[in-house]
Every structure is written in C-alpha cells, then in structure tokens.
Amino acid sequence: MYAIPDTRLPLPQVLDQYPSGTPHRRNHVNDFLLVPWEVERFNQVLTRLGRTRPSLQTDQLATAARSLNDLADDDSPSPCIQQRMQHARLLEQMLADPDWEPAAEATSEISQVMDYLREGRQLIPDTVAGVGQLDQAIVIDTAWPKLVVEVTNFLDYQRLRRLEAERQGRRYEEIPFNRRYWLELREVEARLHEHQRRVREGSYAPEPLSYFRVH
C-alpha cells in the first residue's frame, strides 16, 4: 500500500520564483506551444486552490520543463511528478470509497483538483514526453497543504479497516466500516498503545487489554 513519504521531492524552483526584469520569450514545453489565455486560465485554477505567489509565466513553465528534461534519462516523468501523481491516485481512491466521507474542510479542494485532472482542457497534454503531467503536478502541489491531513487520515482508515477485516476473518470490503468506526477504533488503539507504554516503563505487569474491535 502506498504511504505518504516523509520527504516531498521538490518541483523545479523556478516555479516559485518571482519574475523580475525583462521577461524571457520561452513559450514551448518541448514542442508544445503554451497558449497565453490557457496559461491565464491555469493560473485562475491555482489561485482558487490557494496559490499566493504571482501568476506563473510561460517562461517559468518552459524553464521548469527543460530542467526536468535535463535530469531525465528517458521520456519517463521525473520522480517529483510521479510522486504527485501517486497522490492523485490516493485522492481517486478516497472519492471511490463509498464508506469514507471526506472532511468538510477538504471537500472543495479535492473536487477542484480532480475536476482539473479529469478534464480534457489541461494546460499541457499528457502526450508531451516526460513533462506532460507537469501542470497536474503543480495543481496537486498547490492544494496539498490543505489535503495532506485528510489523505493521511484516509490511509490510516484503510490500515485499521484491513486489520479489523483480518481479525474478523473477512474481506476488506465486507465489513461495515466508515469514518465514525475509524475514529472509534483509532481512539481504542491509542489507549492500547498508551497502556503498553506505561507497562514497559512501569515496575508492574497488569493484564494486557484485549484486542480492540468494531461491532
């Protein structure tokens, strides 16, 4: 199962640099021409997701793509793009799980990110070798500070549901399990871990708690 790594692989730094001086004239990502009004529309998406830096310019995007291409050995997406697309797959899993209800504070960002990833009018076509998902990675990266807690919770929900299914000898999808059950089970697990810590640090050995369960 995919887990969120402790280290986020950075996107090219030029994407966060304030444009200064005379703008460059790069406007191609590989052989694909960036259209100004599509770039402006893309910036509007980023603003709605919380980007506070100045709007991205075509030169920044072209330079970022070139830097990623220079680091690549083939036409595969760079590791930083692959990492963010793994995050996108987690968002898809979250929305596809009928028993998981995302927290209200994350719902809007999840919807906006997935709307962009699923639409046909993305800034850079996926067919552009190596960097065709750069725009998607930027969208995910922009929204990530508002999504990371919810995604982490969903991964923990999957973990505890899998443990409970194994305890019952049933399949993952067969057991009744939702966000409320997950919160209850997480609390029981936390109390169990605290009890075990006290036993390890104390000078007595009381009877261990029975394994937690959801009825």
Side-chain angles (χ1 to χ4, degrees), residues 184-196:
E184 292 175 358
L185 203 54
R186 186 176 67 166
E187 177 63 26
V188 172
E189 184 184 56
R191 293 200 303 268
L192 175 60
H193 288 167
E194 176 60 21
H195 172 79
Q196 291 172 335

Side-chain angles (χ1 to χ4, degrees), residues 195-209:
H195 172 79
Q196 291 172 335
R197 183 191 64 81
R198 290 198 305 268
V199 170
R200 288 195 302 269
E201 296 175 356
S203 58
Y204 66 98
E207 290 295 322
L209 295 178

Side-chain angles (χ1 to χ4, degrees), residues 3-193:
I4 300 174
D6 294 331
T7 303
R8 296 265 295 167
L9 302 176
L11 293 175
Q13 191 174 19
V14 67
L15 296 171
D16 289 326
Q17 293 175 345
Y18 287 77
S20 61
T22 303
H24 299 287
R25 297 184 179 278
R26 299 187 188 93
N27 55 12
H28 282 79
V29 171
N30 293 7
D31 293 330
F32 179 76
L33 176 65
L34 295 169
V35 180
W37 69 268
E38 289 284 6
V39 175
E40 176 57 29
R41 176 175 171 272
F42 181 68
N43 279 311
Q44 292 172 3
V45 172
L46 299 184
T47 298
R48 289 195 296 270
L49 288 173
R51 180 179 171 89
T52 57
R53 295 181 181 273
S55 297
L56 289 170
Q57 307 298 311
T58 57
D59 186 74
Q60 288 173 281
L61 294 162
T63 302
R66 179 178 297 182
S67 68
L68 293 175
N69 285 330
D70 289 344
L71 295 173
D73 295 328
D74 51 30
D75 290 337
S76 300
S78 68
C80 64
I81 292 179
Q82 293 183 47
Q83 185 184 65
R84 283 151 183 82
M85 298 316 296
Q86 288 175 323
H87 294 165
R89 286 188 282 276
L90 284 177
L91 296 178
E92 290 177 341
Q93 289 180 30
M94 188 188 307
L95 293 179
D97 192 318
D99 297 323
W100 179 258
E101 297 180 5
E105 57 268 25
T107 301
S108 176
E109 283 72 22
I110 295 172
S111 297
Q112 290 181 68
V113 169
M114 297 312 300
D115 285 347
Y116 183 82
L117 298 186
R118 291 169 175 169
E119 70 178 19
R121 293 174 55 198
Q122 294 175 359
L123 179 64
I124 305 172
D126 289 351
T127 53
V128 177
V131 292
Q133 295 174 316
L134 175 60
D135 57 323
Q136 298 177 53
I138 295 171
V139 167
I140 295 166
D141 206 58
T142 302
W144 194 245
K146 297 181 180 179
L147 298 180
V148 62
V149 171
E150 185 64 15
V151 173
T152 302
N153 287 342
F154 178 68
L155 287 172
D156 192 59
Y157 155 88
Q158 290 182 314
R159 178 185 67 85
L160 288 179
R161 182 169 185 168
R162 187 171 292 105
L163 285 175
E164 179 62 15
E166 291 174 357
R167 188 195 67 79
Q168 295 184 24
R170 300 168 67 185
R171 294 166 55 189
Y172 176 93
E173 63 273 10
E174 290 178 341
I175 65 171
F177 208 85
N178 55 24
R179 192 182 187 102
R180 180 176 62 83
Y181 285 167
W182 164 69
L183 288 170
E184 292 175 358
L185 203 54
R186 186 176 67 166
E187 177 63 26
V188 172
E189 184 184 56
R191 293 200 303 268
L192 175 60
H193 288 167

